[in-house]
Amino acid sequence: MQSNSQSSVPKIVGAIVAILVCCSCILIVGAGVVIFRTVQDVPDLSSLMTPMFDPVTPEPTPELVRPPVDEAIDTTLETLEQTNVPENDPYEMACRLRALCDVPRTVPAKQYQVG
């Protein structure tokens, strides 16, 4: 004799499969309706297209005026000579930029106990 639980398993599996098939069909139909409505709402693009026989006059390209190379080199050299580049000293930079003066140059070592 078979027990009740063994005979009800195929019915439960069949019901779950039927529900999944129904849900899939509903989703497919819904997607089709959404796509159909989207296609119907596309505006007519022919009004946005310009006719082929209407020539468009191109705008003139602006001219790029550059100073002579020798003048640019002299200007750059003059700027570099007049620029004050500070030395890379972190303690001086901390004092100058963050107002952290009197920062100790060394940190006292920690005493560790052996063992």
Side-chain angles (χ1 to χ4, degrees), residues 13-108:
V13 171
I16 292 174
V17 169
I19 290 172
L20 290 176
V21 168
C22 290
C23 290
S24 298
C25 290
I26 291 171
L27 284 175
I28 291 171
V29 169
V33 168
V34 168
I35 291 172
F36 179 75
R37 287 187 179 174
T38 303
V39 169
Q40 297 299 320
D41 291 339
V42 173
D44 185 22
L45 298 178
S46 62
S47 63
L48 301 175
M49 298 174 65
T50 57
M52 296 291 283
F53 57 85
D54 186 21
V56 177
T57 308
E59 295 182 14
T61 306
E63 278 191 42
L64 182 61
V65 180
R66 295 184 180 192
V69 174
D70 294 334
E71 184 180 321
I73 291 173
D74 293 339
T75 306
T76 304
L77 184 61
E78 186 178 310
T79 302
L80 288 174
E81 287 174 347
Q82 293 177 358
T83 303
N84 181 19
V85 179
E87 189 176 325
N88 187 11
D89 181 12
Y91 299 102
E92 187 273 329
M93 287 176 19
C95 186
R96 181 170 41 98
L97 299 175
R98 307 232 22 220
L100 296 173
C101 302
D102 299 327
V103 176
R105 300 247 177 206
T106 60
V107 178

